[in-house]
Amino acid sequence: MKTIYLDNNATTAVAPEVLAAMLPYLGELYGNPSSMHSFGGQVGEAVDTARERMAALLGADPDEIIFTSCGSESDNTAIWSALQTQPEKRHLITTRVEHPAVLNVVQYWERQGYHVTLLGVDGKGRLDLDEYAAALSDDTALVSVMFANNEVGDIYPIQTMAEMAKERGVLFHTDAVQAVGKTPIDLRHLPADMLSLSGHKIHAPKGIGVLYVRKGVRFRPFLRGGHQERGRRAGTENVPYIVGLGMAAQLAIDHMQEERVNVARLRDKLESGLLERIPDCMVNGDVENRLPNTSNIAFKNVEGEAILLMLDRLGICASSGSACTSGSLEPSHVLRAMGVPFNYAHGSVRLSLSRYTTEEDVDFVIENFPGVIQTLRAISPFKN
Ligand code: PLP
């Protein structure tokens, strides 16, 4: 059975070009990039090239790129650094719809005595900039707002929010893990101080990430010890993965514009195909302003987990908007923050495409998905 992979916001396939670029560094080119000898030196050059490629994708300077182990480490580090460099400031601003890599960390700091503002969203997941303006204060150490949401794909007004933070002299971090490679980001015009990204969302392997830190922004490392990354992140560099991430960045530079258009066309075909064929369903999120690859659809009176299991039997990989916590199916914190009605939130499914999604994949899903919902509704205890 063919696998139809529509879970690219969870993780992506490693691009063949990325794998090919990495292999020599898992084999004969095993030197340490910090070594004085030329055997290590050639490896150091590959790390430099990867750093330049990543900087070019973001409109950054190579010196502003710190390689980390993942998006979560980058997020943790950004928050840690902002608090450590400004011990006199005791307030943090983020949103109710962040990934746990930010939300749980901020809540940890709240337990340590920090004051935290969690910005709310409306029914489409949009932030209220007046609420944000009112929350910014001289005591605010950091604003951390995701560039785009992993569950519904909404893109937030990061340009405006970063500018507002700058006007108040407040540090601004954005978790751009879902946005990089899917939507243009140019740090020459976007006044963010820090930005996080993750390799495995952009066709590089799992276990490699980046924290961008703007020149001039005071920084305190999270992982201390070695001199690597100019003393900003200890640990001998994960060379093969860094090289792979550099290649993934280069592929995004070369192909993002055309891929965005193609992926959005397939996503829209898939979404409208399902909405036309299945009664009582709706799209979660802001359809006017979201990532080109993401569709989150709520099916009334069915369990998201049951949908996923039946899709799985057809070879279709997706993910749901609810998580099994202590035996009960809780709708995700994102859908709850948006106020999606209970009987819709429970039946929410995220379909996320990539450059490798084909027309045939989409046609197969449009053909087979309606039967899944029909079967589940026929046995549902809810009244339909
Ligand atoms: N931030 C967002 C928005 C994400 O979607 C994810 C991964 O799902 C992360 C952070 C964490 O990235 P990583 O898996 O590289 O730690």
Side-chain angles (χ1 to χ4, degrees):
M1 186 169 61
K2 184 175 183 254
T3 295
I4 297 181
Y5 189 74
L6 296 178
D7 202 11
N8 286 281
N9 286 10
T11 198
T12 59
V14 173
E17 299 89 335
V18 167
L19 182 61
M22 290 171 64
L23 285 175
Y25 299 92
L26 288 163
E28 66 273 24
L29 295 175
Y30 57 82
N32 187 322
S34 303
S35 295
M36 287 304 289
H37 44 72
S38 55
F39 184 67
Q42 61 187 331
V43 172
E45 281 168 26
V47 171
D48 291 345
T49 303
R51 200 184 303 281
E52 284 159 16
R53 288 174 159 175
M54 185 44 80
L57 175 63
L58 299 175
D61 190 279
D63 287 348
E64 297 173 320
I65 302 295
I66 303 172
F67 290 111
T68 65
S69 68
C70 58
S72 301
E73 184 191 325
S74 302
D75 287 340
N76 272 266
T77 305
I79 297 166
W80 164 265
S81 176
L83 300 187
Q84 296 300 311
T85 54
Q86 308 166 99
E88 70 290 357
K89 297 192 176 187
R90 304 291 294 174
H91 176 224
L92 286 160
I93 301 177
T94 187
T95 75
R96 292 190 186 282
V97 294
E98 296 300 308
H99 188 273
V102 168
L103 202 50
N104 289 349
V105 177
V106 165
Q107 283 165 349
Y108 165 80
W109 286 112
E110 190 172 32
R111 290 193 296 278
Q112 307 310 307
Y114 279 82
H115 172 52
V116 169
T117 301
L118 294 179
L119 302 173
V121 291
D122 69 7
K124 290 185 169 182
R126 293 173 302 195
L127 293 164
D128 176 352
L129 292 184
D130 291 335
E131 186 192 3
Y132 173 54
L136 281 168
S137 86
D138 296 338
D139 195 37
T140 311
L142 181 71
V143 177
S144 181
V145 177
M146 67 200 321
F147 204 109
N149 187 272
N150 45 304
E151 292 192 29
V152 291
D154 284 17
I155 296 176
Y156 300 104
I158 294 304
Q159 180 77 30
T160 308
M161 294 182 90
E163 284 167 6
M164 288 166 70
K166 284 305 92 195
E167 276 165 27
R168 289 299 303 258
V170 174
L171 279 183
F172 189 91
H173 164 251
T174 182
D175 173 343
V177 165
Q178 292 292 343
V180 170
K182 297 176 193 162
T183 193
I185 296 177
D186 188 347
L187 289 160
R188 286 167 298 194
H189 305 294
L190 172 67
D193 298 296
M194 293 183 278
L195 175 147
S196 302
L197 67 90
S198 175
H200 73 106
K201 312 290 184 178
I202 60 166
H203 303 290
K206 296 153 195 62
I208 184 74
V210 160
L211 177 64
Y212 157 89
V213 181
R214 188 175 292 278
K215 263 194 192 139
V217 169
R218 281 165 64 210
F219 182 75
R220 197 68 58 80
F222 186 58
L223 209 56
R224 291 150 189 268
H227 59 277
Q228 294 87 355
E229 299 299 283
R230 304 169 82 224
R232 294 172 299 176
R233 199 271 185 183
T236 302
E237 295 86 346
N238 185 353
V239 175
Y241 283 49
I242 290 173
V243 169
L245 181 54
M247 178 54 82
Q250 190 60 50
L251 293 173
I253 292 169
D254 295 342
H255 305 296
M256 180 167 53
Q257 286 310 339
E258 80 214 40
E259 279 171 12
R260 274 166 57 72
V261 176
N262 193 35
V263 166
R265 186 185 65 75
L266 287 176
R267 187 272 314 269
D268 292 344
K269 177 179 174 181
L270 174 63
E271 194 170 83
S272 57
L274 296 180
L275 293 178
E276 277 162 23
R277 285 168 181 77
I278 303 173
D280 291 327
C281 63
M282 64 176 195
V283 177
N284 291 320
D286 185 3
V287 292
E288 306 294 321
N289 195 17
R290 60 181 170 159
L291 295 171
N293 78 319
T294 307
S295 174
N296 190 310
I297 309 181
F299 302 93
K300 190 180 172 193
N301 290 348
V302 268
E303 282 293 356
E305 308 287 303
I307 301 173
L308 294 191
L309 288 176
M310 286 193 67
L311 290 178
D312 188 47
R313 284 203 221 142
L314 294 164
I316 302 168
C317 307
S319 66
S320 84
S322 48
C324 195
T325 43
S326 56
S328 71
L329 282 176
E330 269 290 302
S332 82
H333 68 288
V334 175
L335 300 181
R336 269 185 285 147
M338 288 165 57
V340 175
F342 187 79
N343 58 342
Y344 276 94
H346 268 282
S348 292
V349 171
R350 179 186 72 189
L351 303 165
S352 47
L353 289 67
S354 81
R355 68 168 73 118
Y356 301 118
T357 308
T358 64
E359 200 89 38
E360 295 74 48
D361 292 343
V362 167
D363 290 341
F364 182 85
V365 177
I366 294 175
E367 184 78 10
N368 289 281
F369 205 130
V372 167
I373 301 297
Q374 217 176 5
T375 306
L376 290 172
R377 282 190 177 148
I379 57 167
S380 166
F382 298 110
K383 276 224 166 344
N384 285 299

